[in-house]
């Protein structure tokens, strides 16, 4: 069942935005190729660009947009099935706490979504320190600001603002910062 969930939605959606993410990475590489930064850091910046572009394409594009674009490009037929913009949906109830305490039962899809929302922001926490070279608290604030902005824009693009997503994304960011901390030299700012 988990395999079907991944192949039918998440993995397919990630594959649909992959060409856009790679294109953004190539553009950054072309624009930065004369910079004096070390090749390792330039590679991290390139990966960060691809990751961030892919993430934004996945969470901010209206549902069905990338599928419709690729279908139209590959078949030559215009067939748009995109969710409408400006849903205005806002869910401030923290269902995650109910789920963890057993007061709320949910299926594998809900658990998969919680896990996915944590996992998709772990790379952000890993990339921020070596790319921006700031203190840990500055990287945390920058990452939290990014998460809040990303979530706040979702009702405009036909999705919903969800408190559970904010919490899970923040947990992923923090996990990423913890994972990378031993490998990043301390900043002298």
């Amino acid at each position: 069942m988990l395999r079907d969930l991944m192949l039918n939605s998440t993995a397919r959606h990630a594959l649909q935005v992959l060409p856009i993410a790679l294109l953004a990475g190539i553009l950054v590489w072309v624009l930065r190729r004369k910079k004096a930064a070390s090749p390792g850091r330039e590679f991290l910046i390139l990966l960060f660009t691809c990751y961030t572009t892919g993430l934004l394409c996945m969470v901010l594009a209206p549902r069905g947009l990338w599928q419709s674009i690729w279908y139209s490009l590959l078949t030559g037929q215009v067939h748009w099935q995109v969710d409408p913009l400006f849903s205005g949906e806002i869910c401030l109830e923290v269902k995650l706490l109910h789920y963890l305490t057993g007061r709320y039962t949910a299926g594998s899809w809900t658990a998969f979504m919680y896990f996915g929302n944590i996992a998709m922001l772990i790379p952000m926490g890993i990339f921020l320190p070596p790319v921006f070279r700031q203190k840990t608290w500055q990287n945390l604030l920058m990452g939290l600001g990014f998460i809040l902005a990303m979530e706040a824009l979702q009702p405009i693009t036909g999705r919903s603002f969800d408190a559970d997503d904010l919490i899970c994304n923040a947990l992923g960011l923090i996990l990423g910062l913890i994972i990378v901390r031993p490998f990043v030299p301390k900043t002298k700012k």
Side-chain angles (χ1 to χ4, degrees):
M1 180 167 171
L2 182 61
R3 181 180 167 272
D4 291 337
L5 288 174
M6 285 191 62
L7 290 177
N8 290 333
S9 59
T10 308
R12 184 184 68 214
H13 196 59
L15 289 173
Q16 290 171 355
V17 301
L18 184 62
I20 306 303
L22 292 174
L23 186 63
I26 291 168
L27 181 63
V28 165
W29 178 75
V30 167
L31 294 174
R32 291 186 56 90
R33 71 175 182 234
K34 298 205 190 257
K35 297 286 181 182
S38 71
R41 184 156 186 270
E42 286 300 317
F43 184 67
L44 283 174
I45 291 169
L46 176 79
L47 287 178
F48 179 71
T49 301
C50 292
Y51 161 75
T52 307
T53 303
L55 178 65
L56 291 174
C57 286
M58 285 183 69
V59 300
L60 290 182
R63 284 182 190 91
L65 176 69
W66 295 111
Q67 184 174 347
S68 296
I69 288 172
W70 292 117
Y71 178 83
S72 297
L73 287 172
L74 294 173
T75 65
Q77 301 172 4
V78 178
H79 183 71
W80 292 94
Q81 287 187 325
V82 179
D83 284 0
L85 298 177
F86 305 106
S87 71
E89 290 181 40
I90 298 174
C91 179
L92 298 177
E93 180 185 5
V94 182
K95 295 176 281 229
L96 178 62
L97 294 176
H98 300 304
Y99 181 70
L100 292 174
T101 59
R103 293 187 327 192
Y104 174 72
T105 57
S108 60
W109 175 249
T110 304
F112 179 73
M113 290 308 296
Y114 286 141
F115 173 77
N117 275 305
I118 293 170
M120 77 177 177
L121 266 291
I122 290 174
M124 176 71 66
I126 291 171
F127 279 125
L128 285 177
V131 169
F132 290 100
R133 296 181 178 171
Q134 296 183 18
K135 294 181 180 178
T136 302
W137 67 269
Q138 292 170 316
N139 287 318
L140 178 63
L141 286 179
M142 186 178 358
L144 291 174
F146 178 85
I147 291 167
L148 183 60
M150 185 174 66
E151 198 66 31
L153 289 171
Q154 285 187 4
I156 296 169
T157 63
R159 295 174 177 261
S160 66
F161 180 97
D162 194 310
D164 285 335
D165 289 355
L166 279 174
I167 292 168
C168 291
N169 290 165
L171 286 172
L173 173 72
I174 292 166
L175 279 172
L177 288 168
I178 290 169
I179 290 168
V180 79
R181 186 166 174 90
F183 304 104
V184 176
K186 299 217 184 284
T187 58
K188 297 179 182 178
K189 291 183 180 182

